[in-house]
């Protein structure tokens, strides 16, 4: 689900880089969510000279876009617990960082971005406050997270197929909770950001229809393979996972996506001249 959801507080990573399925996951994530994330950043005025930090950069699509956007004079630090799928470039530095444990410089960045990361962290509220402190006065934090409580099947061949898809969604949520995550945290992001001291909150919601060929549904298909062990731990069989994969490849299949909350807020105060 996240660009990279690392293990935290003794739990195993729900998603890890460097696996047989991680690059496909990054591709689907970028295709599904960059059309939401990147225009939000552009509308906020990200531009030349900005100093930016991305947490859980995964495949690096956001970081690469930012590096182009902030040139000349700007910089981007793309971090991940396992940064093997990140490539440095002009204005783009890559670093290994465990945001739950490692320190961040304070008042250092004009922009901090975290997409589909904090909902996986048991210490998400503490991490959020750390991200706020990393902003310069007036700096911008953008957090994009999903709320998976609403993503119902809409068109399936029969009630059994509908029940199977619903069971798959519930197993994914249970796997996330077992690792300390909150699959519904997206709806809580605005309140959490306000509690962390941010102001000028701007909330954007995105929902789509999943269908064959849609990258959001491609991400779901990836999870039938990428999360196979975790889903079987939650009671699904290999045969059921194969059948739900076949269902999602059906051109007639339709389902609602989860709701993506893209929330921006600013650290109070004025940036130094």
């Amino acid at each position: 689900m996240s660009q990279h959801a690392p293990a935290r507080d003794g739990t195993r990573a729900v998603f890890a880089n460097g696996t047989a399925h991680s690059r496909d996951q990054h591709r689907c994530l970028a295709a599904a969510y960059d059309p939401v994330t990147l225009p939000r950043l552009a509308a906020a005025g990200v531009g030349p000279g900005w100093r930016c930090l991305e947490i859980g950069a995964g495949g690096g699509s956001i970081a690469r876009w930012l590096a182009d956007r902030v040139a000349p004079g700007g910089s981007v630090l793309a971090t991940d617990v396992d940064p093997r799928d990140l490539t440095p470039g002009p204005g783009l530095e890559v670093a290994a960082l465990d945001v739950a444990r490692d320190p961040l410089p304070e008042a250092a960045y004009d922009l901090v971005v975290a997409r589909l990361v904090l909902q996986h962290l048991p210490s998400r509220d503490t991490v959020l406050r750390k991200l706020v402190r990393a902003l310069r006065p007036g700096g911008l934090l953008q957090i994009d997270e999903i709320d998976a409580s609403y993503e119902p099947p809409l068109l399936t061949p029969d009630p059994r197929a509908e029940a199977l898809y619903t069971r798959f969604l519930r197993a994914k949520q249970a796997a996330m909770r077992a690792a300390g995550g909150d699959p519904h945290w997206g709806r809580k992001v605005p309140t959490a950001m306000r509690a962390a001291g941010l102001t000028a909150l701007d909330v954007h919601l995105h929902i789509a229809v999943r269908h064959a060929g849609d990258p959001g549904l491609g991400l779901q298909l990836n999870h039938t393979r990428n999360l196979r062990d975790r889903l079987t731990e939650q009671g699904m069989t290999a045969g059921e996972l194969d059948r739900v994969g076949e269902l999602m490849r059906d051109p007639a299949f339709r389902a609602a996506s989860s709701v993506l909350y893209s929330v921006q807020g600013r650290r109070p105060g004025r940036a130094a001249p």
Side-chain angles (χ1 to χ4, degrees):
M1 307 251 296
S2 73
Q3 294 277 22
H4 177 212
R8 294 290 188 260
D9 303 334
T11 61
R12 291 183 295 133
V14 177
F15 298 100
N17 292 339
T19 71
H21 307 294
S22 61
R23 294 203 173 191
D24 177 63
Q25 164 143 323
H26 296 325
R27 178 187 61 78
C28 291
L29 278 165
Y33 295 128
D34 281 5
V36 178
T37 301
L38 303 185
R40 291 274 290 157
L41 293 170
V46 177
W50 281 45
R51 189 178 182 195
C52 306
L53 169 68
E54 185 183 3
I55 299 297
S61 64
I62 297 172
R64 289 190 296 272
W65 182 90
L66 285 172
D68 289 339
R69 187 90 181 183
V70 302
S75 65
V76 179
L77 176 60
T79 69
D80 205 301
V81 168
D82 180 352
R84 73 180 72 187
D85 293 333
L86 295 169
T87 303
L92 174 57
E93 182 183 353
V94 171
L97 178 80
D98 182 338
V99 72
R101 297 185 177 95
D102 297 335
L104 289 173
E106 299 203 6
Y109 299 101
D110 301 296
L111 170 70
V112 176
V113 181
R115 182 172 71 185
L116 302 177
V117 176
L118 271 67
Q119 68 183 129
H120 294 280
L121 310 184
S123 57
R124 62 188 67 87
D125 290 330
T126 299
V127 169
L128 177 55
R129 291 192 294 271
K130 184 188 295 187
L131 299 183
V132 172
R133 292 194 299 271
L135 289 169
R136 293 172 174 169
L140 179 73
L141 175 64
Q142 179 167 319
I143 295 179
D144 291 359
E145 294 284 2
I146 64 167
D147 175 0
S149 64
Y150 179 82
E151 44 184 351
L154 303 174
L155 288 174
T156 62
D158 52 56
R160 290 180 62 186
E162 179 177 346
L164 177 63
Y165 183 74
T166 300
R167 187 177 177 205
F168 163 69
L169 297 177
R170 289 175 178 168
K172 280 209 313 174
Q173 292 188 43
M176 190 169 166
R177 290 192 184 95
D182 180 357
H184 301 169
W185 193 63
R187 71 175 77 170
K188 305 171 189 176
V189 172
T191 300
M193 290 175 67
R194 183 177 63 187
L198 294 173
T199 60
L201 292 170
D202 181 43
V203 184
H204 176 92
L205 276 65
H206 173 77
I207 188 168
V209 176
R210 290 173 174 161
H211 56 84
D214 165 57
L217 192 59
L219 193 60
Q220 296 286 84
L221 279 166
N222 174 280
H223 294 165
T224 66
R225 303 181 296 272
N226 204 2
L227 300 181
R228 206 169 188 86
D229 290 345
R230 288 183 179 269
L231 294 172
T232 55
E233 288 173 1
Q234 298 302 325
M236 296 205 75
T237 68
E240 287 172 331
L241 291 172
D242 290 341
R243 288 197 295 276
V244 80
E246 292 171 3
L247 172 64
M248 288 188 279
R249 293 184 186 93
D250 182 346
F253 176 80
R254 297 290 186 275
S257 74
S258 52
V259 181
L260 179 73
Y261 287 74
S262 179
V263 188
Q264 295 176 343
R266 291 192 178 271
R267 184 174 183 177
R270 286 189 174 185

